[in-house]
Amino acid sequence: MTATTIGGRLTFYRPYLPLFGAILLSLLGAGASLAVLPFLVLDELDGSRIEVGAVIAALAVAAVIGRPIAGRIGDRHGYRTVMLAGAGLCALAGAGYLVAGNVPALLVVRLVHGAGEGAVYTAGAAWLVALAPVERRGRIVGLYGIHMWLGLTLGALLGTVLFRAADGYPPVWIFAVVTAALGAALVATRPRPEQAPAAGRAGLLPRSAVAPGIALTLAGFGYAGLAAFAALHLADRGVANGIAAFNAFGFTYVGVRLFVGGLPDRLGARRVALWSALVEAVGLLLVAVATNLWVAILGGLVVGAGLSLLFPALALLVINRTDPAHQGAALGAFTSFWDLGLVVGSPLAGLVASAAGYPAVFWVTLLAALASATLSALTPPTPTPPTPPPAATPPAPPPR
C-alpha cells in the first residue's frame, strides 16, 4: 500500500472522525456507570439486588423508547441539534449521579442518561448516512458502532480505575460529565449537515425497520445468553474461567468489523446478514456442546464474528429501503430492536436456564439465530438506495 493510498484513506475518513469521537466520548460515562452502580445501590443507598437490576435496565428502557423519537426529531430539526442535545443529556446525567441520594432519584438519572445515549447514537448514525457515499454506508455505520462499543468497554475500565483510585464515586461522575461535554464540543465543530426536507411524518415504527429489526432482536438473544450464562454453563461442567468465552466475543466483534467491515456494501446487505446469523448459530452450537474451555472460547470467537457484521448489514437493509427524509426515524427504531433483544433476552435466558438447564440457553438462542437468518433470506432484494444531496458527499474513497 503506497503512502498516497494511505493519505487518501485518511482524507476520506476525516469528515467522519468528529462523529466517531463524539459517540466514544459520550458513551464513556455510560460504561463507567455500569462498572460502579451496583456497588452504589447496594453499599451506599441500601438498595436490593432487584433495585440494582432496575437501575441498570433503566438506561436500556429509556434508549428503546427514546431512539425512534430522537430520530424523528432529527429528521425534522437537524441531526446536529439532536446529537448536541443527547450529549448534553449525558453530561446532565453525570451531574445527576453526584446528587442522587436514593434509588428513585437514581432511576430518574438513568432514564435521562438512556435518553441522551439514544439521541447521540441515533442522530449520529443518521448524520453519517447523509454524509457517506452510497457504496460505503455499511462500512461507515459499522465503524461508528465500534466506537460506541469502545466507549462502553473503555468507560467500564476507566470507571473501575477511578473508583478504586479515589475510593469513592464522585470522580467517576465528574469523568462522565467531562467526557460527554467533550463529545458535545466535537459535534459543535461540525457544520449542520444538508438533509432531505422532511415530507410528512414518519411513524415511530417505520415499515422498513420492522423485519430487519426483528432479525436483530432474535440475534441479540445469543449475545444476552452468552453474557449471562457462559461462565455458569461451563462451571456446571467443571470448567473454570468460563467468562473467557464471553471475553473472546469482543476480539472478533471488533476485529472482523475493522478488517472486513465493507462486506455488506460489496456483497449485498441481505446476503451478509443471512450468513452472519448462520455464523452466530455455529458459535452458539460450539458453546452449547463445549466440555472444555478452548471449545467454548472458539464458540465465543465465532459468535463475535457473526454478530460483528450482522448489525451493519441489517442497518444497510433499513437505510436502503427508507426515504432519505426519514432515515433518522428508521435507524432509531431499528437500533431499538437491539436494546429490546438485550432487555428481553437476558430474563428469557434465565427462564430457560431455570426450566431446562444452562445448555438449553444456547440451544434456544441458536434457534433464534436461525430464525434471524430466515428473516434475512426472505427479505426482498434491496432496491437502488436513494442518493444523498451532492453537497453532503465527501471525496470518493481511494482505489483498493
Side-chain angles (χ1 to χ4, degrees):
M1 184 180 294
T2 66
T4 300
T5 302
I6 294 173
R9 289 186 185 280
L10 292 176
T11 299
F12 171 70
Y13 285 112
R14 189 173 294 126
Y16 313 117
L17 294 180
L19 300 185
F20 291 163
I23 188 68
L24 188 152
L25 287 165
S26 297
L27 269 292
L28 284 172
S33 70
L34 288 174
V36 301
L37 276 175
F39 303 103
L40 177 67
V41 173
L42 293 175
D43 299 337
E44 300 294 325
L45 303 182
D46 296 322
S48 66
R49 294 180 180 178
I50 293 176
E51 287 173 322
V52 169
V55 165
I56 297 298
L59 186 145
V61 171
V64 168
I65 298 171
R67 289 188 202 276
I69 297 172
R72 289 184 67 189
I73 295 173
D75 289 333
R76 298 189 68 82
H77 300 290
Y79 302 135
R80 182 176 182 271
T81 300
V82 173
M83 200 173 184
L84 280 171
L89 287 175
C90 289
L92 179 64
Y97 290 124
L98 277 167
V99 298
N102 53 58
V103 172
L106 195 58
L107 283 170
V108 172
V109 173
R110 291 293 285 170
L111 292 173
V112 171
H113 207 166
E117 182 270 325
V120 169
Y121 180 86
T122 301
W127 189 346
L128 287 168
V129 169
L131 286 175
V134 169
E135 68 276 9
R136 300 298 292 275
R137 285 172 169 175
R139 173 68 169 168
I140 296 301
V141 170
L143 288 174
Y144 185 64
I146 284 181
H147 285 81
M148 176 181 177
W149 176 271
L150 288 175
L152 291 170
T153 304
L154 292 175
L157 173 63
L158 294 172
T160 301
V161 170
L162 287 169
F163 173 67
R164 291 178 177 174
D167 195 25
Y169 301 96
V172 180
W173 309 137
I174 294 171
F175 170 76
V177 173
V178 171
T179 52
L182 290 174
L186 273 181
V187 175
T189 66
R190 300 298 302 155
R192 179 182 175 127
E194 293 191 27
Q195 297 178 217
R201 290 181 177 270
L204 282 178
L205 190 58
R207 183 179 301 178
S208 60
V210 174
I214 294 172
L216 186 64
T217 292
L218 291 168
F221 289 167
Y223 172 79
L226 188 70
F229 291 104
L232 294 172
H233 165 57
L234 291 167
D236 197 49
R237 292 183 169 178
V239 179
N241 301 314
I243 193 61
F246 175 69
N247 293 337
F249 168 94
F251 287 100
T252 47
Y253 184 86
V254 173
V256 167
R257 199 177 289 186
L258 277 176
F259 291 104
V260 293
L263 286 180
D265 296 308
R266 297 200 299 270
L267 301 181
R270 182 175 65 157
R271 180 185 300 176
V272 173
L274 165 63
W275 283 102
S276 294
L278 292 176
V279 168
E280 181 197 7
V282 171
L284 292 167
L285 172 63
L286 289 170
V287 177
V289 302
T291 56
N292 62 68
L293 186 59
W294 294 110
V295 174
I297 289 175
L298 178 61
L301 290 170
V302 175
V303 172
L307 282 178
S308 179
L309 293 184
L310 183 70
F311 184 94
L314 290 172
L316 195 57
L317 285 175
V318 174
I319 292 164
N320 291 344
R321 286 174 167 76
T322 304
D323 186 287
H326 302 306
Q327 296 282 11
L331 283 169
F334 167 73
T335 310
S336 289
F337 278 98
W338 173 255
D339 295 304
L340 185 64
L342 302 187
V343 169
V344 174
S346 295
L348 177 63
L351 289 173
V352 171
S354 299
Y358 296 128
V361 171
F362 302 99
W363 292 111
V364 169
T365 54
L366 184 157
L367 292 175
L370 293 177
S372 175
T374 302
L375 268 178
S376 296
L378 295 176
T379 303
T382 304
T384 302
T387 304
T393 305
R400 290 184 173 273

